[in-house]
């Protein structure tokens, strides 16, 4: 019985001993300045006038919406947060969503931006775009409000 007690104490002592996983010859390396130069982005609220959104289009059979974004800023724009409000031609709200959009717009330049459409079943078309004569489809209007502009530092 005494031997069994010693054996149990020995086994529990070995089991409870913490594993030492440190290795003797490891050294911490500090990153070189080239490795630590990470591109930093900053965001600013869109107060009005920093960007212009124009040329919106969404044909009936498209699963993407496109529009042009023109920057009047001296910084490169790397992203936008926009609110899209969709209404029918009488002004009744159909849908509203806020989207985060990745883009690369150089200073004082224009780029075409494309986002997935809210219309997953291709039943809506932009009222000011190419008209559709298909039955059972709905023309819509859209308002795009820029909320935040992400710029590259």
């Amino acid at each position: 019985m005494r031997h069994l007690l010693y054996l149990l104490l020995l086994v529990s002592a070995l089991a409870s001993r913490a594993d030492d996983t440190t290795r003797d010859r490891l050294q911490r390396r500090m990153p070189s300045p080239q490795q630590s130069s990470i591109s930093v982005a900053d965001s600013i609220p869109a107060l009005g006038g920093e960007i212009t959104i124009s040329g919106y289009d969404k044909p009936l059979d498209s699963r993407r919406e496109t529009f042009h974004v023109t920057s009047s800023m001296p910084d490169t724009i790397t992203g936008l947060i926009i609110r899209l409000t969709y209404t029918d031609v009488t002004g009744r709200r159909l849908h509203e969503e806020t989207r985060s959009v990745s883009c690369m717009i150089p200073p004082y330049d224009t780029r075409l931006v494309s986002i997935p459409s809210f219309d997953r079943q291709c039943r809506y078309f932009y009222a000011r775009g190419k008209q559709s004569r298909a039955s059972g489809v709905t023309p819509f209007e859209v308002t795009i409000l820029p909320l935040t502009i992400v710029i590259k530092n």
Side-chain angles (χ1 to χ4, degrees), residues 120-137:
R120 294 190 176 112
Q121 296 179 334
C122 297
R123 304 300 298 161
Y124 296 91
F125 66 94
Y126 183 51
R128 297 182 194 186
K130 181 181 175 186
Q131 297 296 311
S132 176
R133 296 185 183 174
S135 63
V137 297

Side-chain angles (χ1 to χ4, degrees), residues 15-138:
S16 67
R17 192 179 109 198
D19 290 337
D20 184 10
T21 58
T22 59
R23 296 182 183 113
D24 290 336
R25 291 176 295 275
L26 292 181
Q27 296 176 2
R28 173 174 265 176
R29 291 184 194 167
M30 299 306 287
S32 68
Q34 293 172 341
Q35 291 174 332
S36 64
S37 63
I38 297 172
S39 167
V40 178
D42 198 5
S43 61
I44 59 172
L47 300 173
E50 300 90 359
I51 62 170
T52 303
I53 298 175
S54 61
Y56 177 89
D57 193 27
K58 193 282 182 191
L60 178 64
D61 60 348
S62 178
R63 294 189 185 272
R64 303 217 42 97
E65 301 171 33
T66 58
F67 49 91
H68 292 93
V69 178
T70 302
S71 171
S72 59
M73 299 178 61
D75 302 302
T76 299
I77 296 174
T78 59
L80 301 169
I81 298 176
I82 56 175
R83 179 177 299 132
L84 298 110
T85 305
Y86 304 91
T87 58
D88 66 10
V89 291
T90 64
R92 185 175 56 110
R93 183 179 302 213
L94 299 171
H95 183 67
E96 181 176 287
E97 63 186 354
T98 300
R99 292 267 182 103
S100 178
V101 180
S102 287
C103 55
M104 186 62 68
I105 306 169
Y108 308 108
D109 208 350
T110 302
R111 290 291 185 267
L112 182 68
V113 175
S114 175
I115 60 173
S117 178
F118 80 102
D119 176 23
R120 294 190 176 112
Q121 296 179 334
C122 297
R123 304 300 298 161
Y124 296 91
F125 66 94
Y126 183 51
R128 297 182 194 186
K130 181 181 175 186
Q131 297 296 311
S132 176
R133 296 185 183 174
S135 63
V137 297
T138 305

